[in-house]
Amino acid sequence: MKNKIVLSYRFIILVYYLLAFLIVIININHLERVLIYSLILIVLFGIVVHIYILNIPKLLLSNKYIEKNLSTVKEAIDKIHNKSINDSLITIYIFLLEISNYKEEYQNFVEQNSKRIFDEKQNRHWYTIKLQYYYNLNKKDEYLKLYDPQLDNKVKNPLFKIMYLILNEEYEEAFELSKKVTSQQKDIGYIMRLYYRIICLEHLEKENELNDCINEMVEFNDQIHYVKEIKDKYKK
């Protein structure tokens, strides 16, 4: 089966080169025009690549096709060498491994890319990857040291604040934050919030709400390790 990520990227590159070729042919006797149009084309290419990067997660982060998407992203990582796109694909692949039942593969892949993830200047991609990694390995001190509340608005994902509150045993506040999502948004992000909500309810000993959340959680795809963990714990 053709890889939709690789195909769409190659299509963008093909269009880019065709436009560049047309600019040269049409303005072959006007060097200044070629330079101006080339600069415009470079800027447009950057914008298109940025839009492409933003839309990759929407194509892949579906709780129905985790296994398929893992192989699709891995192949794309090997074939696409544009750094921005490759970085985005690596973060998505790590995320897919993290939510799946491949815990060992997840840890190994992060460690294999540790120089890239942990040594580069902090940005949104690696910042969230590092936070999730520290949380999963119960490295509380590293998580609390790295977490920066001022970056919450840039990250635009309450999960990391929820994890921060749980690590600080502020379960009531974490619980309230986990509820700030509509029931219609039942994507992977919703499932993760539901999982952390269950953790909070366990500590808060709110049995009725806990049972409701568990019953909702077990309806989801157990290829997601958050779902499987709750099923194994409560529905044996």
Side-chain angles (χ1 to χ4, degrees), residues 63 179-191 193 197 216 220:
N63 61 30
K179 294 193 297 184
K180 292 182 179 180
V181 58
T182 64
S183 58
Q184 287 77 26
Q185 295 174 300
K186 294 190 177 180
D187 54 8
I188 291 172
Y190 177 83
I191 293 169
R193 287 172 198 159
R197 194 180 309 163
E216 182 178 3
F220 290 105

Side-chain angles (χ1 to χ4, degrees), residues 123-135:
N123 59 50
R124 189 173 69 178
H125 287 304
W126 305 132
Y127 172 68
T128 56
I129 291 295
K130 286 185 281 190
L131 285 176
Q132 187 72 62
Y133 181 74
Y134 290 146
Y135 185 90

